[in-house]
Amino acid sequence: MKIIKHIPFNQSSLQGRELEYSSKAIKSGQIGGDQYFSKKCQNLLESVLRIPKALVTTSCTHALEMAAILLDIQPGDEVIVPSFTFVSTANAFVLRGATPIFIDVRKDTLNLDESLLGSIITEKTKAIVPVHYAGVACEMNVIQKIAERHGIAIIEDNAHGLFGKSNGQWLGSFGNLSTLSFHETKNITCGEGGALLINDHNLIERAEVIREKGTNRSKFSRGEIQKYSWVDLGSSYVMSDLLAAYLYGHLEVWEKIQLARKNLWNRYHVGLNDWSITHSALQPTVPPHCEQAWHMYYLILPTPEFRDRLIIHLKKCSITAVFHYLPLENTPFGKSFDQADCPNSNDLSKRLIRLPFYTNMSTEDQNKVIDSILNFEC
Ligand SMILES: *Cc1c(COP(=O)(O)O)cnc(C)c1O
């Protein structure tokens, strides 16, 4: 019997000096937070993205929770989040008692539709949380103007968009606050991890406190105070330096990782172009002012049945391809917020397929995915 090699949807891989750095961290005897490698990661993010402050955290979810605490989100507040996103984008604010207001997405980029903001913003709106879907930027200039006019904060959930740009400006540098994910499914990873990027100088000191269980321990560690104490709300959001060591192994070769992913993305795009045209499938749209972050490759099939059959067909070929977000307002918990449907999110969510996409994917494996789609009898 011929053994067919399985092609996973995602897998992490060594890209540089992760093993060396992890072992250095272990041998140093300093694997708590805010040690050598955490500082290296933060300095790199700050200097490449040209932002005032980066703090590595236990996850992107936790960085979003920090953002909600930092902005004093309260019961009764409204926070605008795309319908088509991961649950954490909304949950972090719901945890503070806020109501998530789900906004529909654009048909082309699947990013929140900025033209709907005007009709959704109320006196209670405290924040907008744009998600740069697949690492392609939201219309940040428009969103910024609207937010400024209404005095509303912007928190970029930049889990997909690290090292992407819009009009030449780095994603993550637009919002008052931004969050990153280093979960194993993301471009740059340490298994589980994240970061809070702080573009507003006034929020830096309190962010350090919230991240350190509500204490001013960061000041103490820098020798700025004699002892540290409980000064505010907070929780345990600090990343272990052992994970930061692995993370730095990835981060310092970010350009190599992004280039490998760019090549993979382009091979899918070219390889599936004719097929997409003849089968009325849509390939991703990347507006000309966006330099995307090469986070994923997806297709929008003409019908939900077509999408579901293609997933089953690929499974038979030993290839894992997956759907993505379910519209949040239609999830069991999301329904409790009793909001109108978001038609584009609903429609696209049923027709979208994500193809296997990971930095060390071989050309042979990618060809197999492409060929399996070309051979699909639909
Ligand atoms: C992955 C992801 C998150 C959560 O990241 P974690 O680091 O796993 O907490 C949040 N938002 C979006 C859009 C994501 O894709």
Side-chain angles (χ1 to χ4, degrees):
M1 199 180 90
K2 196 172 146 219
I3 295 170
I4 299 167
K5 189 181 153 215
H6 176 246
I7 300 178
F9 172 68
N10 175 68
Q11 82 186 6
S12 65
S13 54
L14 294 171
Q15 292 296 326
R17 298 165 74 180
E18 298 91 329
L19 294 178
E20 180 193 333
Y21 291 162
S22 305
S23 112
K24 195 172 160 190
I26 293 167
K27 287 180 190 149
S28 76
Q30 311 286 328
I31 54 171
D34 284 331
Q35 301 299 322
Y36 179 77
F37 286 106
S38 298
K39 287 175 189 154
K40 296 288 275 184
C41 291
Q42 292 174 178
N43 290 343
L44 186 145
L45 290 169
E46 287 161 11
S47 68
V48 173
L49 304 178
R50 299 206 200 96
I51 51 164
K53 191 75 195 166
L55 294 172
V56 288
T57 60
T58 31
S59 67
C60 178
T61 301
H62 280 166
L64 287 162
E65 289 177 23
M66 285 179 65
I69 299 172
L70 255 176
L71 295 173
D72 287 320
I73 301 294
Q74 305 282 332
D77 290 347
E78 294 179 351
V79 176
I80 298 174
V81 300
S83 154
F84 193 69
T85 183
F86 188 60
V87 292
S88 298
T89 316
N91 235 345
F93 303 93
V94 174
L95 274 169
R96 315 282 349 133
T99 305
I101 304 295
F102 305 117
I103 184 169
D104 204 2
V105 295
R106 296 165 57 113
K107 279 186 176 168
D108 56 354
T109 56
L110 288 87
N111 284 330
L112 71 78
D113 184 347
E114 68 286 349
S115 72
L116 300 173
L117 281 170
S119 61
I120 281 180
I121 289 171
T122 71
E123 301 267 277
K124 295 179 186 165
T125 310
K126 287 286 146 58
I128 304 170
V129 194
V131 175
H132 307 297
Y133 187 71
V136 175
C138 296
E139 290 304 308
M140 291 313 295
N141 293 346
V142 179
I143 297 170
Q144 271 181 322
K145 273 199 196 104
I146 296 174
E148 242 164 63
R149 195 176 335 128
H150 291 86
I152 298 170
I154 296 176
I155 303 154
E156 289 174 80
D157 178 344
N158 196 27
H160 300 183
L162 177 58
F163 303 124
K165 287 181 176 177
S166 172
N167 288 313
Q169 186 180 338
W170 294 104
L171 300 186
S173 70
F174 288 91
N176 305 66
L177 297 163
S178 302
T179 63
L180 302 177
S181 175
F182 302 122
H183 183 259
E184 70 167 354
T185 50
K186 306 305 196 303
N187 296 23
I188 306 285
T189 180
C190 59
E192 301 277 356
L196 181 68
L197 310 181
I198 307 164
N199 296 315
D200 180 344
H201 286 269
N202 298 321
L203 296 175
I204 294 175
E205 192 173 325
R206 188 157 176 244
E208 288 184 338
V209 168
I210 291 165
R211 179 167 164 271
E212 270 287 11
K213 300 95 186 163
T215 74
N216 48 6
R217 184 175 175 163
S218 300
K219 271 191 163 174
F220 171 76
S221 306
R222 289 193 293 264
E224 293 165 24
I225 47 175
Q226 292 291 313
K227 52 179 188 284
Y228 70 89
S229 170
W230 186 17
V231 295
D232 204 333
L233 275 182
S235 192
S236 183
Y237 296 132
V238 178
M239 176 188 279
S240 158
D241 222 53
L242 184 47
L243 284 180
Y246 188 100
L247 180 61
Y248 190 64
H250 265 197
L251 266 181
E252 71 173 355
V253 295
W254 70 269
E255 286 163 300
K256 180 185 100 171
I257 292 174
Q258 293 300 89
L259 181 63
R261 300 180 74 97
K262 176 183 178 176
N263 290 334
L264 283 171
W265 198 97
N266 284 330
R267 290 192 81 248
Y268 270 139
H269 207 58
V270 171
L272 295 170
N273 186 254
D274 287 345
W275 183 87
S276 296
I277 292 166
T278 51
H279 292 81
S280 306
L282 295 174
Q283 295 184 289
T285 303
V286 183
H289 60 281
C290 298
E291 286 173 49
Q292 64 153 313
W294 318 107
H295 175 53
M296 70 168 91
Y297 198 86
Y298 66 85
L299 294 171
I300 309 275
L301 286 320
T303 65
E305 297 72 39
F306 192 124
R307 191 272 305 265
D308 295 347
R309 282 206 315 273
L310 182 55
I311 289 179
I312 293 167
H313 164 75
L314 291 173
K315 196 172 169 196
K316 282 186 192 144
C317 304
S318 223
I319 294 166
T320 306
V322 295
F323 65 92
H324 212 182
Y325 308 123
L326 302 170
L328 287 181
E329 72 278 9
N330 290 340
T331 56
F333 191 55
K335 276 183 185 154
S336 65
F337 300 102
D338 193 22
Q339 286 176 37
D341 273 353
C342 296
N344 290 345
S345 167
N346 247 300
D347 170 38
L348 296 166
S349 151
K350 295 189 188 103
R351 298 194 281 127
L352 184 143
I353 186 173
R354 295 201 290 161
L355 303 181
F357 198 86
Y358 40 91
T359 308
N360 68 338
M361 187 176 199
S362 68
T363 304
E364 188 193 343
D365 286 356
Q366 196 181 21
N367 283 342
K368 196 182 150 196
V369 177
I370 294 170
D371 290 343
S372 300
I373 293 175
L374 301 185
N375 294 332
F376 174 50
E377 310 271 349
C378 36

